[in-house]
Amino acid sequence: MDKIYEPYLPKKVYPDVFFTLDEAEEISTLQTDILDYVDQMCAKWITQGGVDEEWDAYVKRLEGMGLDKMIKIRQDAYDRFLAAK
């Protein structure tokens, strides 16, 4: 079974990182809203289709929800993690 799944497993996994208090508060809100929306749309597309027609609006809404900010917070925390090694 391991050989079947091996090509699909990630080569690297995002490590457990530490956020500052401000980052933790902000990412908590951003991530909750964004992941809820992602889950909702995935379920919709699986059951009803429409991903091709709705993709651009989906990406635009994610951007409006603060996806870039969430990514920056995670990147900053990851950079600190690497610097501490």
Side-chain angles (χ1 to χ4, degrees):
M1 184 183 250
D2 288 342
K3 287 188 181 260
I4 292 171
Y5 287 110
E6 186 177 353
Y8 305 101
L9 296 175
K11 303 300 180 220
K12 290 186 178 185
V13 177
Y14 188 82
D16 290 330
V17 298
F18 294 99
F19 298 107
T20 66
L21 183 58
D22 289 339
E23 288 172 338
E25 290 173 359
E26 188 165 10
I27 202 165
S28 174
T29 302
L30 290 170
Q31 189 166 282
T32 298
D33 294 344
I34 289 170
L35 294 180
D36 284 349
Y37 178 63
V38 168
D39 289 344
Q40 173 190 349
M41 293 307 293
C42 286
K44 179 183 179 212
W45 291 331
I46 289 168
T47 59
Q48 300 172 14
V51 66
D52 291 331
E53 299 81 12
E54 298 174 1
W55 185 257
D56 291 337
Y58 169 73
V59 171
K60 189 172 186 170
R61 179 144 181 217
L62 287 174
E63 290 168 351
M65 294 174 82
L67 180 63
D68 290 338
K69 181 65 177 169
M70 186 180 87
I71 292 170
K72 182 179 182 336
I73 292 170
R74 289 188 159 279
Q75 184 64 56
D76 290 347
Y78 183 64
D79 291 344
R80 287 192 303 270
F81 170 82
L82 292 178
K85 283 184 129 187

